Amino acid sequence: MQPPANNNTKIRPKRSRGILKTFIFFAWVIALFLLFSNRQSIIDWWKLQNYSPPATISALATDSTMTDYSRRVFYVNQPTLDKENFVQNCPNSRKEQSIVLGCYHSNQNGIFLQKVVDPRLYGVEQVTAAHEMLHAGYDRLSTSERERIDALLEDYYNNQLKDERIIETIDAYKITEPNDIVNEMHSIFATEIPNLPTELEQYYKKYFKDRQQVVAFAQRYQSEFSSREAAVAAADKKIAILETQKESIEADIDSRQAAIDNKRAELEALRDTENISAFNANVPVYNNMVVSFNFRVRELRAIISEHNALVERRNAIALEENELVKSLSSDVSPINQ
């Protein structure tokens, strides 16, 4: 007789398949989250797969001390550096109010820089590259980060900015590009102002290894214009003073000439009447008048000579400035001071 079957064997629930599905689900969620949060980096990686920056572009990134991140932002926009096609690529460049010569097409659709060959303007390409890269960087900021940076920029502009040229630049943008004021502040402050509040300095380390080097380029380039403008203004002021002095001396000479003419007529009358004693007494007076007259004439000639030499120097400086403007472009010029 067979022993009774053991009916007390435990039956385990089949959970492994459900756990696997749950694991796969969460893995997909995590993967999608990582994909979404890093979508820009993935897009950048894809765009840069077959991109090799020209030597001139790579040099601009190096000269402006771009970080690995900002260099990637720069390269993704496949920047070009030329003069022939600049205006076609940047049709609104004539409205540019800052000291840069470039443009950025929004949504990472390109950075265009104008080539400048005049060695006196060395630095404008580097500053422009940094300026336009920052526009692309600003485009990438999250909503919360942009709000934070906008607040810092506006606070600095409203309470700490003292540079009159940059204040005038921002004021000009309020007229030409009223919807992009903070965006322009984002690029201008970083590339043209030496000292910024600590939070902004920390933020810009994301883009530059040494921001001061970019600022130095901007100051060097701008000084080529501002120094000449200051020299022309000083010359104009001195020329105006010399012209006033010249007019005053000319009026004095005319008055002295009339007095000499009268004195000569008086002497001739005394001689004709043979009033020798009176004639002899007035001769020294007449001669002193002539000496004083001649002295004033020499003063006038010296002032005219100084005036003409100063006008010549002033015009030479103005010509240099015009040549600098022409070397930038027949269509683009830096903001007037």
Side-chain angles (χ1 to χ4, degrees), residues 18-36:
I19 293 173
L20 180 61
K21 288 182 178 179
T22 302
F23 175 79
I24 292 173
F25 172 77
F26 281 108
W28 271 106
V29 169
I30 293 171
L32 289 172
F33 173 78
L34 292 174
L35 184 66
F36 180 79

Side-chain angles (χ1 to χ4, degrees), residues 10-171:
K10 293 182 179 179
I11 300 175
R12 298 182 181 275
K14 297 181 178 180
R15 296 180 180 176
S16 58
R17 185 172 297 178
I19 293 173
L20 180 61
K21 288 182 178 179
T22 302
F23 175 79
I24 292 173
F25 172 77
F26 281 108
W28 271 106
V29 169
I30 293 171
L32 289 172
F33 173 78
L34 292 174
L35 184 66
F36 180 79
S37 60
N38 292 282
R39 64 191 182 284
Q40 188 62 65
S41 296
I42 296 171
I43 292 171
D44 291 347
W45 174 82
W46 179 258
K47 286 184 175 181
L48 293 175
Q49 279 296 290
N50 298 314
Y51 177 75
S52 179
T56 52
I57 296 300
S58 178
L60 290 178
T62 299
D63 290 347
S64 57
T65 74
M66 290 185 190
T67 61
D68 291 342
Y69 169 74
S70 60
R71 191 181 287 256
R72 173 159 52 88
V73 172
F74 188 49
Y75 289 165
V76 161
N77 283 277
Q78 299 196 4
T80 63
L81 178 67
D82 68 71
K83 189 165 186 177
E84 292 73 18
N85 301 312
F86 177 70
V87 174
Q88 291 91 320
N89 290 322
C90 301
N92 294 323
S93 59
R94 276 167 279 189
K95 298 179 181 179
E96 185 62 68
Q97 302 298 322
S98 67
I99 62 174
V100 299
L101 295 167
C103 66
Y104 161 68
H105 291 188
S106 60
N107 297 318
Q108 317 297 313
N109 284 324
I111 287 176
F112 302 92
L113 314 171
Q114 181 175 305
K115 185 173 183 59
V116 178
V117 298
D118 193 317
R120 294 171 295 181
L121 297 176
Y122 179 72
V124 61
E125 293 176 356
Q126 288 85 347
V127 174
T128 303
H131 181 106
E132 303 305 339
M133 174 276 294
L134 285 165
H135 281 315
Y138 187 82
D139 242 6
R140 292 170 173 238
L141 295 178
S142 66
T143 300
S144 59
E145 180 69 348
R146 183 174 297 184
E147 288 176 353
R148 183 180 79 86
I149 298 304
D150 285 359
L152 291 174
L153 293 168
E154 289 176 335
D155 180 72
Y156 176 74
Y157 171 73
N158 291 323
N159 300 302
Q160 299 181 57
L161 180 60
K162 304 300 180 184
D163 189 310
E164 289 298 327
R165 182 185 66 79
I166 293 181
I167 291 173
E168 291 174 6
T169 298
I170 300 300
D171 288 345

